[in-house]
Amino acid sequence: MLEDRVYPPHPDFVARANVSGMEAYQALYRRSIETPEEFWGELAEKELAWFEKWSHVFEWHPPFVKWFVGGKINASYNCLDRHLATHRADKVAFYWEGEPGDERRITYRELHAMVSRFANVLKARGFTSADRAIIYMPMIPELPVAMLACARLGIMHSVVFGGFSAEALKTRIQDLDARLVITADGGWRRAREVRLKDAADEALKDCPGVREVIVCRRTGSSVNMQPGRDSWWHELEEGVSADCPALPLDAEHPLFALYTSGTTGKPKGILHTTGGYLLGATMTMKWVFDLKDEDVYWCAADIGWVTGHSYIVYGPLSAGATSVLYEGAPDTPAWDRWWRIVSKYRVNILYTSPTAIRALIRQGEEWPNRHDLSSLRLLGSVGEPINPAAWEWYYRVIGKERCPIVDTWWQTETGSILIAPMPGATPLKPGSATFPLPGVVPEVVDFTGRPVEAGKEGYLVIRRPWPSMMRTIWGDPKRYEEQYWSRVPGSYFTGDAARRDVDGYFWILGRVDDVMNVSGHRLSTMEVESALVKHPAVAEAAVVGRPDEITGQAVCAFVTLKQGTWDHDHLADELREFVAREIGKFARPAEIRFAEALPKTRSGKIMRRLLREIVTTHTVTGDVTTLEDFTVVTRLAAEED
Ligand code: 7RM
């Protein structure tokens, strides 16, 4: 990793920033640690609207926490109603663009009416704050509308990403014991229809507890509607009032559960509640994205994963932002779709993932260079460590060396960003998520929980509870306790390896199970990958450790190549030497395999677990429900023979 380059914030950016200069950041941070009750209490009062004030800012009975105890609040009210009394009433909440090119522009006033009307539909069907809903929809405005309508009535929701299979949907419906499913006929992705209702029908064969299915019309294709169970969204809404007061809910009322893969085959339902979650999402919009009222903001993630929950729906709407919402793929109809959108809506803030950036790098600079990207003022990254080569490209080709990049570290479990730069304060180092946000006390520790020295690798833990942290695993508090709070007793165990450099910067090195040990050298898969992708022929690389009798583990690299004709035998040797030069001889891959594609989750994370299985057992048996394209794995495993 390049640790030597530092990018201080540009004076023009500092001058207008929400948090200007390191001293301001440090003062904020210090206060949050010294007097957390005061700090969070004041913010909650100032930044959110409450029906009733809390009696205690937080109650910590490790590992269970409550924030704003006794307070009454509603997330939907905070995202909508409170803006209607301000200049934001007729401000655009979403510029929506469908993949085929259809457009909608929705103001806060209009969104409020849509949400209220749909909430009245749910209320009339008898759903209450004791219910749970599964939402399985494409990226259309009705998806946030469904979430906010549930939140309005205290119906806990669980959004299942539209790319998930019927099987994955089924296990989530069953685990949640949901009575309500909200879906659509389909959505558009790479010019093809993703037939969601068909998948829902398949899943629902084994979900007798589901009483009602509400179907939104998006593609207009014909679907099966089961009488007595299924109804059309637009038919249910006929003649329904758009006046539906938001219910005052306990600050700790469940807002949503979002399923994520753990180390076992069974996905975990990560539970978030209302007050603390909303405060975390709202504050990070202002601190990390430096959000201004006049900004056009675009988080290009899918709402079906946590980034979309916190940074497309709850955070931006609570903060009163104008967002872009895009339904489809970045390569449809061509690889400049994103840059067309940026220039068309004059996007100021763009938030995406390293995997997307690398896919764009692979297509070449011509695509972004054809468009006017001068509206951009801030770029963000999330989901995995960003390798310095991708960082530099993002900075130069997209940000034109004008825009700070906020590398945001967080997890489904953390609810909102915990480690990231404040762009008007923090000098950036490419590949480092930099410093903790207010109230967050991360530390890098060894397996006994003791802090390791600067520069040394260890486990990343968080020492104190923060407002937006998960409250439990749905239906499994024991697993919550074991997985997150017992590895290092009293601290939250992130599952990530990290290093803190001599300047105090945090470098996240990837999941703990992605760390290899080669001849006694601890080596992150990420470091080797980062080296490989610097080679001009390499598009993407995934590295896993395979058991080796002599060295403990040996480095095995799966590599996809940029367009061109390459001599594989020759190139493998060259890449090995390249890595040896970049990191050291011990890091030299024992094996390089050229692949057509790498197995990834739908949020773009490379599933190294599968690659590890392929190199160790030559088969794949574990949970693959989060995989984007299963054929990638069968092809890789077949190449084995
Ligand atoms: C938001 C999200 C969480 C895991 C986390 C890390 C990795 C996420 C970064 C990162 C390095 C980052 N939620 N991760 N962001 N690693 N730098 N900026 O991704 O639950 O799906 O994944 O993602 O390993 O533990 S998640």
Side-chain angles (χ1 to χ4, degrees):
M1 300 272 202
L2 301 163
E3 271 189 42
D4 42 340
R5 305 180 71 168
V6 179
Y7 295 74
H10 195 281
D12 293 349
F13 197 102
V14 178
R16 303 202 55 232
N18 292 346
V19 179
S20 295
M22 274 312 256
E23 267 146 48
Y25 158 73
Q26 277 153 356
L28 205 60
Y29 185 76
R30 213 171 310 118
R31 220 181 133 239
S32 77
I33 301 306
E34 282 164 10
T35 51
E37 304 214 354
E38 234 178 79
F39 180 82
W40 290 115
E42 278 172 21
L43 283 179
E45 191 137 23
K46 178 163 162 271
E47 302 284 341
L48 299 178
W50 297 82
F51 297 112
E52 270 176 49
K53 203 182 160 173
W54 53 92
S55 58
H56 296 93
V57 172
F58 68 96
E59 260 177 32
W60 178 223
H61 302 291
F64 298 101
V65 74
K66 288 183 178 161
W67 282 86
F68 309 111
V69 183
K72 296 273 183 291
I73 189 167
N74 186 293
S76 181
Y77 183 93
N78 273 274
C79 289
L80 302 166
D81 307 50
R82 66 159 159 161
H83 301 311
L84 299 191
T86 72
H87 64 281
R88 294 192 180 119
D90 295 306
K91 180 177 174 177
V92 173
F94 287 120
Y95 286 113
W96 175 79
E97 192 164 300
E99 195 187 71
D102 39 349
E103 289 167 30
R104 289 160 76 183
R105 177 182 176 284
I106 300 168
T107 65
Y108 274 90
R109 200 191 299 283
E110 289 162 344
L111 191 63
H112 173 264
M114 291 166 78
V115 169
S116 302
R117 188 171 289 119
F118 191 62
N120 270 333
V121 167
L122 300 180
K123 202 196 258 182
R125 320 293 294 173
F127 294 103
T128 70
S129 61
D131 278 297
R132 294 173 295 281
I134 289 275
I135 302 177
Y136 184 57
M137 295 180 78
M139 287 277 285
I140 56 176
E142 284 75 9
L143 169 49
V145 167
M147 295 163 76
L148 292 163
C150 286
R152 208 163 178 81
L153 303 176
I155 301 168
M156 176 178 137
H157 65 67
S158 185
V159 178
V160 177
F161 172 58
F164 271 126
S165 65
E167 185 63 27
L169 176 61
K170 180 182 86 181
T171 58
R172 285 155 177 78
I173 296 171
Q174 290 174 342
D175 190 70
L176 207 68
D177 194 19
R179 289 199 303 157
L180 169 65
V181 173
I182 306 169
T183 185
D185 45 6
W188 296 110
R189 179 100 192 155
R190 298 217 164 85
R192 289 171 55 174
E193 188 191 3
V194 180
R195 295 189 51 88
L196 296 170
K197 180 58 166 60
D198 289 355
D201 287 340
E202 181 67 29
L204 287 165
K205 284 181 190 160
D206 300 313
C207 303
V210 174
R211 214 183 64 185
E212 205 157 319
V213 180
I214 300 178
V215 188
C216 179
R217 179 170 279 162
R218 159 66 182 134
T219 58
S221 68
S222 79
V223 295
N224 159 65
M225 296 291 279
Q226 185 175 305
R229 187 194 69 183
D230 304 354
S231 350
W232 287 106
W233 176 310
H234 62 273
E235 287 178 6
L236 295 179
E237 277 194 348
E238 273 168 34
V240 171
S241 147
D243 178 20
C244 178
L247 214 60
L249 297 165
D250 196 276
E252 283 297 325
H253 189 79
L255 180 59
F256 67 84
L258 186 60
Y259 285 83
T260 187
S261 288
T263 41
T264 71
K266 191 177 181 278
K268 310 176 272 195
I270 304 299
L271 183 75
H272 285 286
T273 60
T274 307
Y277 170 80
L278 201 61
L279 187 60
T282 308
M283 291 323 301
T284 47
M285 281 306 299
K286 301 188 178 185
W287 286 331
V288 180
F289 295 112
D290 190 51
L291 186 74
K292 302 293 187 334
D293 223 352
E294 59 278 14
D295 278 323
V296 176
Y297 160 89
W298 182 19
C299 168
D302 195 284
I303 291 177
W305 64 303
V306 75
T307 301
H309 282 59
S310 302
Y311 298 108
I312 297 178
V313 182
Y314 292 109
L317 293 175
S318 170
T322 292
S323 294
V324 169
L325 185 63
Y326 170 55
E327 178 187 34
D331 62 347
T332 307
W335 273 103
D336 61 349
R337 184 63 183 267
W338 279 19
W339 316 126
R340 278 183 193 284
I341 292 173
V342 166
S343 72
K344 175 166 160 194
Y345 299 99
R346 305 295 297 159
V347 172
N348 305 114
I349 304 170
L350 174 66
Y351 190 30
T352 184
S353 64
T355 193
I357 295 164
R358 289 193 301 265
L360 293 160
I361 293 174
R362 188 178 185 172
Q363 301 308 316
E365 294 179 23
E366 312 83 79
W367 297 105
N369 286 348
R370 247 176 247 166
H371 299 276
D372 175 11
L373 308 183
S374 63
S375 57
L376 290 171
R377 67 176 193 91
L378 178 65
L379 303 172
S381 171
V382 62
E384 54 181 314
I386 181 165
N387 48 294
W391 195 101
E392 300 282 353
W393 188 90
Y394 198 25
Y395 187 74
R396 180 175 57 82
V397 179
I398 306 306
K400 314 290 182 203
E401 302 180 14
R402 269 185 302 105
C403 308
I405 298 179
V406 288
D407 177 355
T408 63
W409 179 86
W410 61 297
Q411 307 176 303
T412 306
E413 291 87 339
T414 69
S416 61
I417 299 166
L418 295 196
I419 304 179
M422 290 201 181
T426 317
L428 307 173
K429 295 188 184 186
S432 168
T434 76
F435 299 110
L437 294 184
V440 178
V441 185
E443 202 153 27
V444 181
V445 302
D446 65 16
F447 65 92
T448 67
R450 269 188 284 265
V452 302
E453 288 167 55
K456 292 267 173 5
E457 264 183 60
Y459 302 112
L460 181 68
V461 298
I462 314 289
R463 297 295 202 190
R464 289 197 197 179
W466 61 98
S468 67
M469 76 181 228
M470 71 183 293
R471 298 301 192 258
T472 188
I473 294 175
W474 177 255
D476 203 348
K478 262 192 82 159
R479 193 176 173 196
Y480 165 70
E481 192 153 6
E482 280 164 17
Q483 291 216 331
Y484 298 107
W485 296 94
S486 57
R487 304 278 284 276
V488 176
S491 293
Y492 171 80
F493 190 81
T494 65
D496 279 337
R499 179 158 50 83
R500 198 171 191 184
D501 71 19
V502 288
D503 302 323
Y505 282 70
F506 282 88
W507 298 77
I508 314 297
L509 302 163
R511 303 296 301 184
V512 171
D513 46 11
D514 289 343
V515 176
M516 302 172 291
N517 191 321
V518 180
S519 305
H521 300 280
R522 286 188 64 143
L523 181 64
S524 147
T525 54
M526 173 61 201
E527 275 177 284
V528 182
E529 289 164 9
S530 181
L532 283 165
V533 296
K534 280 190 202 156
H535 190 280
V538 175
E540 261 199 312
V543 167
V544 294
R546 95 166 139 57
D548 184 277
E549 280 189 8
I550 294 167
T551 58
Q553 279 187 318
V555 178
C556 183
F558 291 78
V559 167
T560 63
L561 297 176
K562 291 191 182 145
Q563 266 132 29
T565 41
W566 311 98
D567 171 3
H568 286 196
D569 290 339
H570 195 79
L571 189 60
D573 286 338
E574 194 177 313
L575 292 177
R576 260 185 231 113
E577 286 318 307
F578 192 76
V579 173
R581 267 207 313 282
E582 288 287 327
I583 303 173
K585 284 190 181 148
F586 70 94
R588 183 163 40 197
E591 199 179 334
I592 303 245
R593 297 196 195 182
F594 296 101
E596 274 297 305
L598 300 174
K600 288 186 186 171
T601 66
R602 286 145 222 255
S603 64
K605 292 192 203 340
I606 296 168
M607 292 184 80
R608 295 191 186 73
R609 179 172 59 74
L610 297 185
L611 296 174
R612 249 191 319 273
E613 268 199 305
I614 290 170
V615 299
T616 50
T617 67
H618 312 288
T619 53
V620 170
T621 54
D623 171 27
V624 290
T625 57
T626 55
L627 193 65
E628 195 206 15
D629 177 4
F630 186 76
T631 63
V632 170
V633 173
T634 33
R635 272 181 280 145
L636 285 171
E639 281 156 22
E640 192 66 43
D641 303 325

